[in-house]
Amino acid sequence: MEKMSIVLALLVSLGFFYQSNQVAAYNASGWTKGHATFYGGSDASGTMGGACGYGNLYSSGYGNRTTALSSALFNDGASCGQCFKIICDYKSDPEWCIKGKSVTVTATNYCPPNYDESSDNGGWCNPPLKHFDMAQVAWEKIGIYKGGIIPVIYQRVSCKKHGGVRFTINGKNYFELVLISNVGGSGAIKAASIKGSKTGWLSMSRNWGANWQSNSYLNGQTLSFKVTTDDGVTLLFTDIVSSNWEFGQTFSSKVQF
Ligand SMILES: *[C@@H]1O[C@H](CO)[C@@H](O)[C@H](O)[C@H]1NC(C)=O
Ligand SMILES: *[C@@H]1O[C@H](CO)[C@@H](O)[C@H](O)[C@H]1NC(C)=O
């Protein structure tokens, strides 16, 4: 008996040690209740160009596993890029739920409140409701089209992305507007800095969605980025942009969160 508990204690402490050395793991926090509807059409065309600024979701790598978030979840854009595993709450709605299925989506858009409608009849995205307005293709993995709205349980999960983090530099001289997309791990960015080959680190601010801005003159310089996701993990993207960069170009990293 005693030997057994010593072995157990050892295993537990080893497990703890192992866990505390993990990096970039987003800690899922359990299931929460919410609701989900769908938008954007059966070809997801209406989901493109959402409030996170990812543009064409097929070319930016998000595809049709995407969602718009209600105000309570969107957090003024701070939640852009977060990933959610969503299950239809079959016990609450056996008529319109598909049993035993889940779907994982990335937040790419905002579902604004509609105060003209009550929150149980059209105003699904009104505060404080936790609501997902999902791309139809994703929604139909867990719900039956005719149902329109379904009760769900959800939790944040780690984002798995193909390829590296992407930096798209828009703007003009003295105003770089950098879209940071295809972010793995926690998926959402808390802080970003930019560095030209002739400058030190300059902190950027969120302009809108996943667009971060800097007001420096960086033309003709090699650029580096430092990005921190909202779980506190920081990655350095050294000299990822070569000095002959132009506005409108996208640069991909080799490393990923
Ligand atoms: C949804 O995306 C998948 C790839 O992620 C693709 O195979 C499928 O055709 C897309 N569905 C629609 C309806 O566009
Ligand atoms: C996630 O869990 C690990 C191990 O328990 C801990 O070290 C880390 O601080 C946690 N991260 C967050 C964002 O809570």
Side-chain angles (χ1 to χ4, degrees):
M1 247 348 233
E2 264 176 29
K3 253 189 201 163
M4 187 86 147
S5 49
I6 290 171
V7 168
L8 265 176
L10 245 171
L11 282 175
V12 169
S13 51
L14 274 175
F16 179 78
F17 182 72
Y18 176 71
Q19 271 202 351
S20 59
N21 274 310
Q22 295 268 302
V23 265
Y26 179 76
N27 296 335
S29 53
W31 297 100
T32 305
K33 286 186 177 206
H35 284 85
T37 47
F38 57 83
Y39 81 116
S42 59
D43 61 354
S45 57
T47 65
M48 305 295 155
C52 291
Y54 297 131
N56 181 313
L57 298 175
Y58 283 117
S59 49
S60 58
Y62 295 93
N64 49 40
R65 295 288 183 269
T66 64
T67 189
L69 301 176
S70 62
S71 306
L73 294 169
F74 190 67
N75 200 8
D76 286 330
S79 301
C80 283
Q82 291 183 350
C83 295
F84 296 90
K85 184 169 187 177
I86 302 179
I87 298 176
C88 196
D89 187 356
Y90 185 83
K91 267 191 202 151
S92 304
D93 192 350
E95 190 179 7
W96 302 121
C97 281
I98 299 174
K99 201 176 181 177
K101 293 277 175 136
S102 71
V103 65
T104 298
V105 289
T106 306
T108 57
N109 203 358
Y110 175 48
C111 179
N114 181 354
Y115 293 111
D116 293 339
E117 307 286 349
S118 66
S119 24
D120 60 355
N121 186 20
W124 319 116
C125 290
N126 294 353
L129 297 182
K130 290 173 172 156
H131 190 90
F132 298 88
D133 199 14
M134 300 163 65
Q136 185 179 331
V137 197
W139 190 94
E140 285 192 80
K141 292 281 162 198
I142 58 169
I144 295 160
Y145 181 83
K146 264 184 76 184
I149 178 166
I150 48 173
V152 298
I153 56 168
Y154 69 91
Q155 64 177 314
R156 258 187 87 183
V157 293
S158 192
C159 300
K160 294 182 176 52
K161 300 296 177 202
H162 297 290
V165 177
R166 296 185 194 162
F167 299 86
T168 304
I169 309 177
N170 291 306
K172 53 186 181 354
N173 300 347
Y174 293 100
F175 176 66
E176 295 78 26
L177 189 63
V178 182
L179 171 68
I180 308 176
S181 61
N182 205 49
V183 178
S186 110
I189 293 161
K190 186 169 73 176
S193 303
I194 190 169
K195 185 188 170 311
S197 39
K198 296 175 191 157
T199 74
W201 284 106
L202 307 159
S203 63
M204 305 179 86
S205 58
R206 185 188 303 282
N207 184 299
W208 64 280
N211 283 291
W212 291 76
Q213 81 172 76
S214 166
N215 295 317
S216 326
Y217 188 79
L218 298 167
N219 300 31
Q221 299 181 49
T222 304
L223 305 179
S224 302
F225 293 96
K226 191 160 65 181
V227 176
T228 304
T229 43
D230 69 353
D231 57 350
V233 179
T234 299
L235 281 187
L236 209 56
F237 302 90
T238 307
D239 297 341
I240 186 174
V241 177
S242 53
S243 59
N244 59 351
W245 65 271
E246 283 171 23
F247 288 104
Q249 287 183 327
T250 297
F251 300 84
S252 286
S253 70
K254 292 206 173 68
V255 289
Q256 180 55 278
F257 284 93

